[in-house]
Each structure stands twice: as structure tokens, then as C-alpha cells.
Amino acid sequence: MSLLSDVLVILLNGLQQGAIYVLLAVGLSIILGTLKFVNFAHGALYLIGTYAGLFVALNVPLSNGKLAEWGFSSFGLDIGFFAALIFVPIFVFGVGLLMERYLARAFYDRPDTDQILVTFGLAIVVQELFRVLFGSNSLPFEQPERILSFGSFAGLPVSGPIALPIVGNFPQWRLWVIGITAVLVALVYLLVEYTDFGLVVRAGTRDAEMVRLLGIKITRPYIVVFGIGAALAGVAGVVGGPLNVVNPTIGTNILVPAFLTVVIGGVGSIAGAVLGGIVFGLTTAALVSFAPAWSQVGLYAIAAIVLLTRPQGLLGDEEVSP
Amino acid sequence: MSEKDANPSAKDALVGGTLFGRWEKLRGREGTVVGITAILVAVFPYLFARAPVVSGFLQGYQSLATLILIWGIFAIGFDLLLGYTGLLSFGHAAFWGGAAYAAGIVAKNVSGDPIVMVVSGTLFAVLLAWVLGFLSLRRGGIYFSILTLAFAQMFYYMAASPLAFLTNGENGLTGVEVGSFLGVIHLEADIPSVGGMLLGTWLYAFVGVFFVGAVAVAYRILNSPYGMVFRAIRENEQRAEFVGLNVWRYKLMAFIISGGFAGVAGSLFTIHGAYVPLQSLFWTESGDIVVMTVLGGAGSMFGPVLGVGLYLYIENIVSTIQALTIPFTDIVLVRDFGFYWHLLLGVVFVVVVWVVPDGLWGILNRLRELAVDLGSKAAKRLRARSENGGGGQ
């Protein structure tokens, strides 16, 4: 094929890879920016999202782990991917609320290192819990065939290739990942920038004490922010699950790139997280096609270069950084 | 009163009077600390792996004893940074694994002499720590943690693929042949006579010397004015800056020193196993040292070593337990208990961070203080009673 189509394919693949990073990074970033809480368990939320998505959407056979030993031969409701896209974020939102209320809140006044340590410990616990229940083997998470199908309504087919101009055939589901990410991030952006809720949250970021003095209960917006961040990680798990392997280590493996995305973009900036995710996605996609051996190294090299030249991140404010 | 001072009675010595006071004074001395460490290191493998009753209870083995000391050196160095300077690095796998690879590559291509291996591995780690510290310390707090993590991951992926011609990629560095120490002593061989009964192999003795050395160096640093500055930075960085200290340089030095300790440990790890797994560079390895240090007690000299012992013991011994039974009975509490070891450890870790940030060492310390407190109260009561009794006669 021509050079142009190669470049476009890399661009699309990069955007799709970046989309997962963006979903995770936006969640991390709003939690870090508003609550000043370092959540090393964000990868664990992604892990929960993936398994929850698998549970709702499909029904997969279990071969090892405690669940199989206890007599559960399969895992899942098999009610379709669209249901997963609805239920999983709600579920992980709830998980996020619980986490804020019973874990994070106790650590707001403690040093960063304590926050990192306790959430890191939590990430280990969650990962091990899944390993015990499902075993260390990868589970199959097939790409969805169609979404929005109810009863007699067949819904939209989302699997298989789609013919695009210039590019030619391209896996359709990847475009959906990009689309879903774009819609969700836009919604969060509008929520934070243009609603009263967002106003309170942003004011709390600047001066929580003053907001409290004005008679606004800041704890409620905070817990919701945490929940939204968690829900985004859950969505990332659902849409990212079918694109990668599903096993208990995916949470810790995705954490490092997600954190780097936040730091590259600038903490607390949604636009920054998006930019960081796109930069990372494109870098990885380009290196995978031109220098596969360096594809992972490149990600970290870029992060290092950006941080050394612009420590506050590409779109970060100096004063927002904790 | 003067009567009592003139002839300290046996009772005083018994219940924490002069004898205890003398011990307290002695305890603080460097020679004592190093000496006691040396004695403990010398008897540890015997108690752990060969003593009649104790070892049967512990089910330890020689190789695990060596491994505990190696990770112990790593943890002491890591604690200099986390516990004393207050910097949480998630990138120490780069120094540990980097040194392990450096030592292995030197052994394969230049010389298998253990001393040469340790020196080259450590040198590599120190230089690497200098560079990475210089870069990572440009930002503090969480950024420091994430930057160290990022740089260390970069090395992991470099070793995995672009540098595979040197590191043997995914398979890890195999075929490392460790030579004999000074050309005479084979490290795998048992030490003859009493030494063998206590220490076991020459390898253990070799590692033990480095461990005692590490304790001595760390103790020296921490009890010098230089080490005081580390603590000052941990307590209040800004204030340390205002007093006129160049905080950045001290932090960099703490980072380099702890990188050096990790380098010694990593090189010894290669000598111990004659193999370097790629995993040794992965960030979960950094996570392990964090868990060990915090579990044992960051900010204390021996807490991290305690944490290392506990972690490795659970990883190697407890994980093989098939069923947890009520002692001396056959009633099974938990089947496949060993299967849950990592989960259990994770839960314990979270609880420790949450409730006792100074770790197991902190708990032991508090228990000791409690015991001393109770002891002195009991002594006071005893003295009061005997004085009353004496007055009555």
C-alpha cells in the first residue's frame, strides 16, 4: 500500500491505543488534581472493570483458580457488550465511592508516600484476589459482534473489518473504542467545566478551606469525583479487555503508562491527559511498525524527555501540582 | 539515698538498674552493633537450617539464609532512602537487576572472580544511580516515585529486547560461571569443621561479610552529621534548605548510596544463583523491596532486614504449606493455605501501612518499651515493699 495509507493506519492504531491510556489518565488526573490523592490502585480498578465486563458480556469457561475448583465451570451472564458498557461503569463507580469513603479519606492528610504505599498494597490485594479466584491463565475476551441489540432489534454490528477511504479495511471495533472514549471524555470535560458541580470541584482544587467556609460540603463532590475517575477506569477495562489478554497482571502492567500519561500531560488537566494519551498511543504505534524492538522503550524515553524539559507536563499549571 | 548509691544491690541489677543502664550505653556504640550483627549472622544459618529443634520448626534451608542476607543488604540501602531521607523510589529494580546483569556479563566475558563481579556490579549500579538520581530528583513527591519507576521500566524493556544480544532477552542471563574466590576457594563448597557447622558454605560466609560490612557502613553514615542531614530533609525539606544546606546534593547522595547497596546485593544475587532472570529488572521487584522495607519498619536500622526475612520466609516456606491445621491436631482450618500467601501478605501490608507506619520493628519496640515500663514499675513496688518491711523489723 501507499505511504499515506500506512501513515493513516498508524494514526488510527495509535489513537485506539492512546484511547485506553486517555480513559485511565483522565480518571487518575481528576483524582490527583482535585483530591491530591495518588491512586496506585487505579490499575486495579481497570482490572475489576475488565473482569466485570467479561462477566456481563460473555460466558467463558473456567479451567483453573479457586472458582473452578469450587465447581463453577463457567463465568458470566452472557447478556451482551452493550449491557457491559452500561452496568460496569456503574458498578466500578460504586467501588470508587467505597474506596474513597473507607480508604482514601483516611489518607488525605498523610504524606504522598503513605498514599502510594497503601494504594500499592491494595493493588496487590486485588490482583492476588483475582489470581486466587481465576488462576493466572489468560481468559478469552472476544471482541463484541454487535452492540445496542434488544430483543428483535438486531443492533449495530461492530466486529469485523470496515472499508475506509484510502486506508482500506480496518478493524471496526477499534474505531468504536476511539468513539466511546471521545464521547466519555467530552462528557467529563463538560461536567467539570460547565456545571455547578464542576465549579465546586474546581474551586475545591484551588482552596478547599475557602469553599468549606462558604458553606459548601466539599466531601460530596469529592467522593463523586473519585467515583467518576473509577468509572472511567472501569470503562477502560471493558473496552480495552477485548483488545488485550485478560489475566490478573493487566492492572499493574497498565498502571505505569497510565501514570506517565498523567504526568506528561500535566496533573489536573483533562486536555493534558488526552494529549498525553495521544502522544503515547502514536509513539507506540509508530515504533511497533518501524522499530518493534524499541516500541516499549520509546514510551519511557518520550516520558523522560518531556519531564526533563517541561517538568510540569505539557499542559500543566505549575501551581496545580501537589 | 546515699546508702543505696554506695552499694548497688543485686536487686537493682536484676530489675533494670545499673546492669541495664550499662547495656543501654553499650548498645549505642558502633562496635557493639557491628559485633552483635556479626555474631547473629554467624549463628543464623545454624539456627535456621541445622539446629536440632529450632530448624525443624522453621524448616529453613541454607540457600534461603544466604538469600535473606542478600536482600537484607538491598533493604538496608533502600531504607537509607525511604526511611531516613523520605524518598520513595519505585525504580530500585534498575540498580538491583542492572548490577546483577553487569556482574553476570563481566563473569561471562572478563573474569568470574566473585570480587571482580561484586566490584563491577556495584560500580555499574552507582553510576546508574548517579544518572537516574540526577534526572529523577528534578521533581519531588509522587513525581520522583513515578520518574524512578519510568526510568527503571525503560531498562527492563531495553534488556528485554534491544539489548538482548547482551542480556539474552526473555530467557534471562544463563550460563554464568562463578569462579573461585582468590582462585582457591570454591564458594559452593562447605566450610570444614566448626565453621561449616555454623555457617555452612563459603558462599554464605562471603555474603555474610558483605552484610556485616553493609550494616557497619549504614550505621556509620546514619550516625554521622552527614546522615543527620538526611533525617532533617525527611522531617522538613524546606527548613533544611533555609538553614543553608544544599538539599538537592544530599538527596542525590542518598540516592547514589542506596543504589550502591542495591548494586552490592544484585551482584551477590548473581553469584548466589549463577543466573539473572529478566524479572529482576521488572518494577514488581522494586515493589517487593518497598513491601519488605515497609513491612519490617522503614526508618530503623534492622527493621527492613526483619521484613526481608519475613517476606522471603513466607514466599519460600509458608507458600509450600498444603493445609493450615490447628497445631497438634488434624483439623484443617484452610486448605491449600500456601496458595493464598501473596494475598495474605498484601492484606498485612495494607494494615501495616495504615495502622503502624513504623512496621514490625515499631511494634517490637513498643512491646519492649511496655516491658521495660512494667518492669520498672514492678521494681519500684518491690523496692517500696522491701523498704517498708525493713522499717517494720
Side-chain angles (χ1 to χ4, degrees), chain A residues 39-111:
Chain A
N39 186 12
F40 260 49
H42 208 67
L45 294 168
Y46 172 86
L47 178 67
I48 293 173
T50 305
Y51 275 82
L54 193 61
F55 177 76
V56 174
L58 301 168
N59 191 310
V60 295
L62 291 175
S63 60
N64 61 20
K66 285 286 160 190
L67 278 181
E69 223 169 274
W70 292 333
F72 293 91
S73 59
S74 66
F75 169 75
L77 299 172
D78 196 12
I79 55 171
F81 203 82
F82 186 67
L85 273 179
I86 300 293
F87 289 125
V88 174
I90 295 171
F91 171 66
V92 184
F93 182 82
V95 174
L97 297 188
L98 290 175
M99 207 176 139
E100 200 275 349
R101 178 65 189 82
Y102 294 105
L103 184 104
R105 201 173 284 180
F107 280 81
Y108 287 157
D109 295 330
R110 289 174 61 169

Side-chain angles (χ1 to χ4, degrees), chain A residues 4-228:
Chain A
L4 182 64
S5 77
D6 281 351
V7 170
L8 281 176
V9 167
I10 288 173
L11 215 63
L12 284 174
N13 279 333
L15 283 178
Q16 176 266 304
Q17 293 220 344
I20 308 291
Y21 294 148
V22 169
L23 281 173
L24 284 162
V26 168
L28 262 180
S29 186
I30 57 175
I31 293 173
L32 192 54
T34 25
L35 283 64
K36 305 277 180 280
F37 184 76
V38 193
N39 186 12
F40 260 49
H42 208 67
L45 294 168
Y46 172 86
L47 178 67
I48 293 173
T50 305
Y51 275 82
L54 193 61
F55 177 76
V56 174
L58 301 168
N59 191 310
V60 295
L62 291 175
S63 60
N64 61 20
K66 285 286 160 190
L67 278 181
E69 223 169 274
W70 292 333
F72 293 91
S73 59
S74 66
F75 169 75
L77 299 172
D78 196 12
I79 55 171
F81 203 82
F82 186 67
L85 273 179
I86 300 293
F87 289 125
V88 174
I90 295 171
F91 171 66
V92 184
F93 182 82
V95 174
L97 297 188
L98 290 175
M99 207 176 139
E100 200 275 349
R101 178 65 189 82
Y102 294 105
L103 184 104
R105 201 173 284 180
F107 280 81
Y108 287 157
D109 295 330
R110 289 174 61 169
D112 298 342
T113 45
D114 278 10
Q115 299 178 354
I116 296 178
L117 288 173
V118 81
T119 47
F120 176 64
L122 184 69
I124 294 177
V125 171
V126 171
Q127 173 174 333
E128 285 306 309
L129 207 59
F130 278 89
R131 191 184 64 86
V132 164
L133 291 176
F134 297 94
S136 340
N137 288 9
S138 295
L139 294 175
F141 195 159
E142 282 158 32
Q143 294 196 5
E145 300 224 331
R146 41 186 72 239
I147 60 173
L148 280 173
S149 54
F150 312 98
S152 59
F153 180 59
L156 300 168
V158 295
S159 71
I162 185 172
L164 293 179
I166 306 172
V167 176
N169 282 341
F170 190 79
Q172 194 184 165
W173 173 240
R174 299 194 171 194
L175 296 180
W176 280 92
V177 172
I178 299 172
I180 291 169
T181 303
V183 170
L184 285 175
V185 172
L187 282 178
V188 172
Y189 183 79
L190 292 177
L191 182 72
V192 173
E193 292 293 325
Y194 293 101
T195 61
D196 284 355
F197 168 79
L199 192 65
V200 172
V201 167
R202 277 181 292 136
T205 314
R206 299 273 162 170
D207 192 343
E209 196 60 31
M210 183 52 85
V211 175
R212 230 170 268 139
L213 288 176
L214 288 171
I216 297 165
K217 276 190 182 150
I218 196 89
T219 46
R220 211 169 302 155
Y222 273 13
I223 196 170
V224 174
V225 164
F226 206 108
I228 293 173

Side-chain angles (χ1 to χ4, degrees), chain B residues 145-281:
Chain B
S145 300
I146 293 165
L147 271 176
T148 47
L149 183 51
F151 285 120
Q153 275 305 85
M154 202 159 98
F155 274 88
Y156 170 78
Y157 286 112
M158 294 251 270
S161 159
L163 295 180
F165 65 94
L166 262 180
T167 59
N168 205 11
E170 300 272 332
N171 300 325
L173 197 66
T174 46
V176 178
E177 280 181 27
V178 181
S180 46
F181 178 59
L182 297 175
V184 201
I185 300 163
H186 293 282
L187 290 182
E188 320 86 73
D190 281 344
I191 303 173
S193 82
V194 188
M197 202 185 75
L198 278 181
L199 294 165
T201 59
W202 284 108
L203 176 65
Y204 181 84
F206 187 73
V207 171
V209 169
F210 278 101
F211 182 82
V212 175
V215 169
V217 170
Y219 193 87
R220 191 82 285 270
I221 293 171
L222 290 174
N223 289 288
S224 67
Y226 202 86
M228 288 297 190
V229 178
F230 292 166
R231 270 176 251 199
I233 291 170
R234 180 192 63 188
E235 292 309 325
N236 193 333
E237 192 175 326
Q238 220 166 29
R239 206 171 287 171
E241 187 98 54
F242 289 159
V243 200
L245 296 163
N246 188 341
V247 167
W248 195 81
R249 272 182 55 188
Y250 279 97
K251 287 205 295 197
L252 181 58
M253 206 54 201
F255 194 74
I256 295 172
I257 292 171
S258 81
F261 274 72
V264 174
S267 323
L268 289 173
F269 182 67
T270 305
I271 295 174
H272 167 74
Y275 168 68
V276 187
L278 178 62
Q279 189 68 26
S280 64
L281 280 169

